Amino acid sequence: MGDLEDDGALRGGGDRQPTRTATPKTAEVETLRREIERLHVLGSSNRLIDAVLEQSPHGIIICDARGKLIMQNRAAERIWAGSATAEGVDAWNQYRAFHPDGRPFETGDWSMVRCLNGRQAVAAEEIHIQRFDGTFGFLLGSCAPIFDPDGNLQGAVSVFADITPFKHAANRSSRLQLITAELSQALTPAQVAEVVVEQSVAELKAATAGLWLLSAGDEFIELVHNAGYSAEGKIKFSRIPVRSSMRLPVLDTMAGAHAVWLTCREEFAAQYPEVAAGVPPRSEYAIASLPLMVHGRCIGALAFTFDARRAFDSEERGFLTVLARHCAQALDRARLFEAEQRARAEAEAAARTREEVLAVVSHDLRNPLGVIMMNVVTLARLHVEDAKVGARLKQNVDSIRRSAERMSRMIGDLLDLASIEAGQLSIERSAFSPAEIASTAAETFAPMAEERQVQVVTDIASDCPPIQCDRDRVIQVFTNLLSNAVKVTAAGGRVTVAASRADDDDVVFSVRDTGHGIAPEDLPRLFERFYRGQQAHYKGTGLGLTIAKGIVDAHGGRMWVESKVGEGATFFFRIPINPPPTTS
């Protein structure tokens, strides 16, 4: 026993340090110790094995070498909803299982059969089964062969777990993702209701489903979409007063903003006896009614009925709660979209009406204006003997002519504005010299500028190539800009008309004045129609800059302004040298 005493150091005895590497004799002692423990366990093996089999949460089935089922534990009976018996492998075809593609199992497809035939373990695999009570579920199991000490095959053992709840949760998660994707495409409350009702009925196998929404004024809830309702039911529940004397699950859901869960007919009859009395007799009846909440307010209810008891476990309640939440969010988006569409349609209708009125009035005004101008010409040609009368007549005729010409310009502006807003401004392009256009515009305003003691100069680059444009329209832009520039420039000031090549694509025109400048708060709104600015120093319709920008935009160009108060303002506009074919 001396060696054994020396081994005491291995157990930490005395002052000696433990030896890190066991000696051969030490290993023999440890092997002997484990064998003694194993014999003790085997002495009570029957009790231990029975405890493992009975208390295991997983199903365990054992068969002999011929495939006869010789043992199954309680978990296996619970998972399969019954007890299995079979005298051999050939009898296994009485039990139903399915491949992922839906094909039923043949006898040789069972893992225990493959284990017996191949004499090798079968790793964990998932199968779809039909239980003995007719319901369906999913198993995840492994199988291993059993050999005696001589290596002879004695049978096989299968251990499996019921993963049906996990599969249902995964399937419902996938269904929820599908519903969410379809809800993102739904544009109206009716489309949202259809997606939620139809998809959820398919997932839950519900007998009926309905979605109600509060009507305007919150006096009624209206059935937006349903599945499984009879013609009588659709009429009866299509519009329910919120303050109805009859109690209904959906009304209680709306009133309390909480879900109503009724797992069986007895619960339904106890809480809603008046309604339950009118329901056709059935073996069982269950109801789930969930609120549709938007920003803390209940806007409707989503309700389901089932022709069987329904436990509504935590997983199913969670699924329905999330479904209702997604539905409410989609309904909120759909209502906002509908409101936006209505507002846009109303704005477009108002714009069309305004454009039509502008066009009609402008055209109708031109006819009497033409008559006035013809009579002005006739009156101007009259010869009056009395010099005083003749002078007064000429003065009056000139006044009428100026007013008529101003009215004609205003009518022209209104017609141009109507065309621009309708996207129908006529642009007839040809090749024109930027220098010629800018010079002509400057010369046109020279008399007006001279009268106001304002100098008009040009600054035209020599490298400006011809541009494809509507010459008259571009000169019209210059006319609007120069008219404003001359008016805001004090006597002794200067207006500069410039043209230069910006790059290979555009020519930039500009009109710079030395006036009082534009207030910063006016700059963002300067091109809006009828906007004249808070510091406008001259009268006008406020359409000139709007029309000028519309003409430039129609050419595929861009207009902007730079200004500092006290230093004048510069209006720029770019015109493409060769506009793209798509530009109208």
Side-chain angles (χ1 to χ4, degrees), residues 52-73:
V52 169
L53 292 176
E54 291 302 314
Q55 298 176 22
S56 172
H58 301 311
I60 301 174
I61 294 179
I62 299 175
C63 71
D64 64 15
R66 295 182 297 107
K68 179 180 179 180
L69 299 180
I70 57 177
M71 196 284 300
Q72 58 187 314
N73 67 349

Side-chain angles (χ1 to χ4, degrees), residues 71-263:
M71 196 284 300
Q72 58 187 314
N73 67 349
R74 290 183 180 178
E77 294 179 352
R78 172 179 52 78
I79 293 172
W80 276 89
S83 178
T85 59
E87 292 300 319
V89 168
D90 293 338
W92 285 23
N93 58 10
Q94 63 182 303
Y95 308 120
R96 302 197 64 192
F98 306 89
H99 292 280
D101 61 3
R103 291 180 296 108
F105 266 33
E106 300 292 341
T107 301
D109 294 333
W110 291 95
S111 59
M112 289 188 78
V113 176
R114 287 182 280 134
C115 180
L116 292 173
N117 293 336
R119 302 170 67 89
Q120 290 183 347
V122 176
E125 61 182 16
E126 178 184 312
I127 64 170
H128 186 198
I129 66 166
Q130 183 176 9
R131 303 184 184 95
F132 298 141
D133 62 0
T135 61
F136 293 87
F138 293 88
L139 305 182
L140 180 65
S142 302
C143 185
I146 302 173
F147 297 100
D148 64 15
D150 297 328
N152 299 315
L153 181 67
Q154 298 297 307
V157 57
S158 176
V159 180
F160 49 88
D162 185 2
I163 60 170
T164 305
F166 304 102
K167 289 294 291 185
H168 284 172
N171 291 340
R172 283 183 174 167
S173 177
S174 299
R175 174 74 72 171
L176 194 59
Q177 292 178 3
L178 174 63
I179 294 174
T180 302
E182 292 194 17
L183 285 177
S184 67
Q185 305 297 320
L187 300 179
T188 66
Q191 291 174 349
V192 171
E194 181 178 1
V195 169
V196 172
V197 169
E198 299 298 335
Q199 289 288 347
S200 56
V201 164
E203 171 63 25
L204 300 169
K205 306 297 190 291
T208 68
L211 189 150
W212 286 263
L213 290 179
L214 275 173
S215 63
D218 296 350
E219 294 184 2
F220 299 90
I221 57 171
E222 297 179 341
L223 184 62
V224 182
H225 192 80
N226 74 90
Y229 277 44
S230 64
E232 180 184 355
K234 292 178 184 178
I235 297 173
K236 184 177 181 180
F237 298 112
S238 62
R239 202 163 190 257
I240 306 171
V242 172
R243 293 178 176 82
S244 173
S245 59
M246 179 183 296
R247 282 193 63 201
L248 292 169
V250 289
L251 290 179
D252 284 353
T253 295
M254 294 287 298
H258 62 77
V260 173
W261 308 98
L262 303 171
T263 63

Side-chain angles (χ1 to χ4, degrees), residues 41-57:
V41 170
L42 289 176
S44 58
S45 60
N46 289 338
R47 293 194 304 275
L48 180 62
I49 293 174
D50 288 343
V52 169
L53 292 176
E54 291 302 314
Q55 298 176 22
S56 172

Side-chain angles (χ1 to χ4, degrees), residues 389-409:
V389 175
R392 179 174 293 180
L393 177 62
K394 183 179 183 303
Q395 183 180 1
N396 292 339
V397 168
D398 289 342
S399 177
I400 295 172
R401 179 188 291 111
R402 286 193 297 271
S403 296
E405 288 173 349
R406 183 168 181 272
M407 186 180 294
S408 179
R409 288 193 297 272

Side-chain angles (χ1 to χ4, degrees), residues 193-358:
E194 181 178 1
V195 169
V196 172
V197 169
E198 299 298 335
Q199 289 288 347
S200 56
V201 164
E203 171 63 25
L204 300 169
K205 306 297 190 291
T208 68
L211 189 150
W212 286 263
L213 290 179
L214 275 173
S215 63
D218 296 350
E219 294 184 2
F220 299 90
I221 57 171
E222 297 179 341
L223 184 62
V224 182
H225 192 80
N226 74 90
Y229 277 44
S230 64
E232 180 184 355
K234 292 178 184 178
I235 297 173
K236 184 177 181 180
F237 298 112
S238 62
R239 202 163 190 257
I240 306 171
V242 172
R243 293 178 176 82
S244 173
S245 59
M246 179 183 296
R247 282 193 63 201
L248 292 169
V250 289
L251 290 179
D252 284 353
T253 295
M254 294 287 298
H258 62 77
V260 173
W261 308 98
L262 303 171
T263 63
C264 60
R265 186 181 183 88
E266 289 79 6
E267 290 184 7
F268 177 51
Q271 294 193 40
Y272 303 94
E274 186 179 357
V275 184
V279 175
R282 292 171 177 166
S283 58
E284 281 297 345
Y285 197 73
I287 293 177
S289 178
L290 297 99
L292 303 175
M293 306 297 295
V294 173
H295 308 304
R297 177 173 178 264
C298 186
I299 65 168
L302 178 63
F304 304 90
T305 68
F306 302 89
D307 286 338
R309 283 179 175 266
R310 199 82 170 192
F312 296 121
D313 56 24
S314 59
E315 185 273 326
E316 189 162 65
R317 293 193 184 202
F319 170 78
L320 286 172
T321 301
V322 173
L323 176 66
R325 187 184 307 130
H326 284 313
C327 177
Q329 293 170 352
L331 287 168
D332 189 35
R333 290 195 303 269
R335 284 184 163 182
L336 290 175
F337 177 78
E338 279 194 334
E340 180 185 354
Q341 292 295 98
R342 284 195 300 269
R344 181 178 300 176
E346 291 171 359
E348 290 175 353
R352 285 194 299 270
T353 301
R354 183 177 59 251
E355 291 161 8
E356 290 170 0
V357 169
L358 284 174

